[in-house]
Amino acid sequence: MLIAGRCISLFAMSLSDEFWMEEALREAQRALALGEVPVGAVVVSEGRIVGRGCNRPLSTNDPTAHAEILALREAGTAIDNYRLLDCDLYVTVEPCPMCAGAITHARIRRLIYGAEDAKAGAVHSMLQLLNHPKLNHKVEVSSGVLAARCMHLVQSFFRERRSEGDNDR
Ligand SMILES: [Zn+2]
């Protein structure tokens, strides 16, 4: 019985992970429409979104305007606390070192991301900053949620940019 119950709750969790990742993908589409690298994030607390962010460093001339940072800022304002206790962050691509740092500062409970970022990912890929043994705060991490769609969005963006570059020549 216990095992069955655990299976059901894990199944329900992965279903809701996909549900919230769809919302993060919606934010990534917004970034794409702005001509930004299509990455999106949402912060979820007690079954509702308290912060959203779409990647926009180019359009704001702000190197810190990554989807995760903007979503964390909005969530902090919404819950009136810079510590985002009991909050989960969903993001379409593995966070970079800056965002991994912000996730730790915010005390995010769970990080759920879609695609790996081999070049800049600071969870598993390039660095393993999050959950570094010297950090006190531990974040539960799930990866690969709707990964193919998250990855496809970014790859098609860069493919298009490259082909535009070819046309310029
Ligand atoms: Zn980042």
Side-chain angles (χ1 to χ4, degrees), residues 61-80:
N61 295 319
D62 179 359
T64 70
H66 286 190
E68 301 94 311
I69 302 286
L70 299 178
L72 291 172
R73 279 191 188 137
E74 199 174 284
T77 301
I79 67 173
D80 201 23

Side-chain angles (χ1 to χ4, degrees), residues 2 8 12 22 26 31 71 91 104 110 122 137 142 151 153-154 158 162:
L2 239 176
I8 289 163
E22 290 283 359
R26 216 179 290 254
V91 58
T104 303
R110 273 185 83 214
H137 181 65
S142 302
M151 177 68 84
L153 207 53
V154 174
F158 283 111
R162 275 196 299 272

Side-chain angles (χ1 to χ4, degrees), residues 130-157:
L130 211 66
N131 293 332
H132 187 280
K134 293 205 169 174
L135 290 173
N136 282 330
H137 181 65
K138 302 293 176 222
V139 185
E140 193 187 320
V141 179
S142 302
S143 59
V145 177
L146 303 183
R149 283 172 56 200
C150 295
M151 177 68 84
H152 177 76
L153 207 53
V154 174
Q155 283 176 340
S156 52
F157 170 82

Side-chain angles (χ1 to χ4, degrees), residues 3 10 13 15 18 20 27 31 34 54 58 61 71 82 96 99 106 116 120 124 151 168:
I3 290 167
L10 282 175
M13 194 168 88
L15 272 185
E18 290 188 3
W20 297 121
E27 290 298 315
L34 292 168
C54 79
L58 299 174
N61 295 319
Y82 80 109
C96 74
C99 293
E116 306 274 330
H124 293 300
M151 177 68 84
D168 288 346

Side-chain angles (χ1 to χ4, degrees), residues 7-27:
C7 283
I8 289 163
S9 76
L10 282 175
F11 181 64
M13 194 168 88
S14 70
L15 272 185
S16 69
D17 280 353
E18 290 188 3
F19 177 82
W20 297 121
M21 191 60 79
E22 290 283 359
E23 292 293 325
L25 273 164
R26 216 179 290 254
E27 290 298 315

